[in-house]
Amino acid sequence: MLHKMNKKEVFQYEGLDISWINSTKKLVAFAFDDGPVPYDETSSAMRILKTLEQYKQHGTFFYIGNQINGSTQKEIEYAIRIGCEIGNHTWTHPDLTTLSQVEMNEEIEKTRAELSRITGMSKFLLRYPYLSYNDQVLEILNVPGVTCKFDSRDWDNGTYDSVIKHILAAKEDDALDGAILLMHEHYDFTAKAVEYLVPYLLEQGYQIVSVSELAAVKKSELIVGNTYV
């Protein structure tokens, strides 16, 4: 946890099911930003989802509201169907610290409403665009916020090799267990990296879970207005 605003309300993802998780294993939360992308069986996002499905693992997908349409919605529905967690990444991906309270609420609420329409759920974790937040953001936030402990840096001129290198370096430091990992679903090289990492980490004794699943198994309450890594 990076920052606490001392709010007491506990968040629980409405689709939470941890019955499949072995709590004696190491856990890492894969969390993907900046979707959804146009639905295609061979898209980067679908490759990621199908890899998770093949190995019976989960992740959290943080969606940008203004990218949701008749085509991209199919990706969200697929993610729900295989047990992944759906998250809010605002409507237009702005730096929330630059917005007024009204603007911030609109960015979050519009996406929440779209995700609610698709999923039937009412509340979703929020990933801050650019991982940027301040006291004003936390004061307004009516759900927990999420950053990450490790950044794959796929967004920073990343490659397949660089993503693998960043994540395996964290594993070698024994720092992946209990961590939230940042990746992006719209890069083909990230999808390729996931296709390698999922079976590799399973062989190394990990399970790959969503953010809410990680918190539940680790018995760490997700508190409204707090930030989690």
Side-chain angles (χ1 to χ4, degrees):
M1 182 189 301
L2 289 179
H3 204 143
K4 181 183 290 186
M5 291 300 288
N6 296 317
K7 297 181 181 180
K8 301 299 184 182
E9 183 182 350
V10 177
F11 169 92
Q12 181 168 306
Y13 183 63
E14 293 164 59
L16 182 66
D17 175 13
I18 61 171
S19 62
W20 65 280
I21 299 172
N22 182 346
S23 61
T24 66
K25 292 193 173 185
K26 296 178 180 181
L27 303 179
V28 58
F30 277 19
F32 300 88
D33 287 3
D34 291 2
V37 301
Y39 185 85
D40 184 288
E41 288 292 329
T42 61
S43 73
S44 54
M46 287 304 298
R47 287 170 60 193
I48 291 167
L49 287 166
K50 287 183 176 182
T51 300
L52 293 172
E53 181 181 27
Q54 177 183 352
Y55 292 96
K56 297 180 173 59
Q57 306 299 293
H58 293 165
T60 300
F61 290 78
F62 290 97
Y63 290 120
I64 299 172
N66 71 357
Q67 294 178 188
I68 299 173
N69 56 46
S71 172
T72 62
Q73 178 175 323
K74 295 178 182 179
E75 176 201 318
I76 301 173
E77 293 168 345
Y78 194 100
I80 296 165
R81 190 158 61 247
I82 67 170
C84 289
E85 179 175 18
I86 307 305
N88 187 333
H89 203 35
T90 73
W91 189 255
T92 64
H93 201 277
D95 182 340
L96 294 177
T97 67
T98 68
L99 303 184
S100 69
Q101 179 174 342
V102 170
E103 291 169 332
M104 192 185 314
N105 281 334
E106 182 177 13
E107 281 284 338
I108 296 170
E109 173 57 25
K110 285 178 70 176
T111 299
R112 187 210 64 78
E114 270 294 277
L115 295 177
S116 181
R117 176 185 63 80
I118 295 167
T119 66
M121 303 175 198
S122 61
K123 293 183 180 180
F124 309 89
L125 293 175
L126 177 78
R127 174 99 88 179
Y128 312 113
Y130 312 107
L131 307 183
S132 178
Y133 67 97
N134 57 17
D135 285 349
Q136 179 183 347
V137 173
L138 296 178
E139 193 62 47
I140 292 169
L141 202 58
N142 63 358
V143 293
V146 177
T147 59
C148 64
K149 186 173 183 180
F150 290 106
D151 184 350
S152 71
R153 300 195 70 82
D154 55 358
W155 54 271
D156 186 18
N157 296 312
T159 63
Y160 168 78
D161 289 336
S162 71
V163 170
I164 298 293
K165 178 181 177 181
H166 281 299
I167 296 172
L168 293 191
K171 175 197 165 293
E172 291 305 314
D173 291 338
D174 202 26
L176 277 185
D177 186 23
I180 299 171
L181 178 63
L182 170 65
M183 290 182 280
H184 294 78
E185 68 164 61
H186 57 286
Y187 297 123
D188 284 333
F189 63 82
T190 297
K192 182 179 178 183
V194 169
E195 289 166 343
Y196 168 79
L197 286 166
V198 169
Y200 173 78
L201 289 175
L202 293 180
E203 289 173 0
Q204 299 298 308
Y206 285 82
Q207 283 189 295
I208 298 162
V209 299
S210 72
V211 174
S212 284
E213 289 170 342
L214 178 66
V217 174
K218 295 293 186 179
K219 302 189 185 305
S220 173
E221 290 183 331
L222 296 170
I223 307 295
V224 168
N226 288 357
T227 295
Y228 295 86
V229 298

